[in-house]
Amino acid sequence: QVQLVESGGGLVQAGGSLRLSCAASGSINSFNAMGWYRQAPGKQRELVASISSGGTTYYKDSVKGRFTISRDNAKNTVYLQMNSLKPEDTAVYYCNGALMQRGSLIVTWGQGTQVTVSS
């Protein structure tokens, strides 16, 4: 089974930028789509951005124009470029890979990386 490892989190001031990386142990083309989720303390995990195997992207309204998801198939890595960060972006960010197989959805999660935005 392909494993996902996130990196790139850290502490940044409001208005700053971070780039998260999600490295897969195998081909990311094995997933129908990959996404970045986040979970803030006391809140539910939410989808921030996703990208399909064909390159179609989705963004949560609050990050549109600030975040960009991309994929490098040669490096088996998915990125989340985060600009103009706000304190409300503070959360643990998780990488996710989703595969529809024989009518069942198979989901793989990374371990998460902390993003803290100070005001």
Side-chain angles (χ1 to χ4, degrees):
Q1 185 176 357
V2 176
Q3 295 182 326
L4 304 175
V5 178
E6 302 97 332
S7 62
L11 173 63
V12 64
Q13 288 189 332
S17 298
L18 284 174
R19 188 177 80 156
L20 305 183
S21 298
C22 172
S25 61
S27 173
I28 59 175
N29 287 322
S30 63
F31 297 109
N32 297 118
M34 298 195 71
W36 286 96
Y37 286 70
R38 67 186 181 189
Q39 187 167 20
K43 294 188 176 182
Q44 289 189 333
R45 192 173 297 190
E46 61 181 6
L47 177 62
V48 175
S50 67
I51 185 166
S52 73
S53 56
T56 301
T57 57
Y58 160 85
Y59 295 96
K60 178 180 173 61
D61 282 347
S62 62
V63 308
K64 284 180 181 177
R66 301 189 298 122
F67 291 10
T68 303
I69 189 170
S70 62
R71 58 192 291 156
D72 186 332
N73 293 334
K75 295 183 177 180
N76 291 315
T77 301
V78 176
Y79 303 98
L80 185 67
Q81 177 67 44
M82 306 186 294
N83 299 328
S84 302
L85 282 161
K86 304 176 180 180
E88 51 263 43
D89 294 319
T90 295
V92 178
Y93 283 70
Y94 298 90
C95 179
N96 161 287
L99 171 65
M100 185 63 72
Q101 192 172 57
R102 300 189 191 94
S104 297
L105 183 64
I106 302 171
V107 177
T108 302
W109 292 96
Q111 84 287 351
T113 186
Q114 177 70 47
V115 171
T116 303
V117 184
S118 64
S119 57

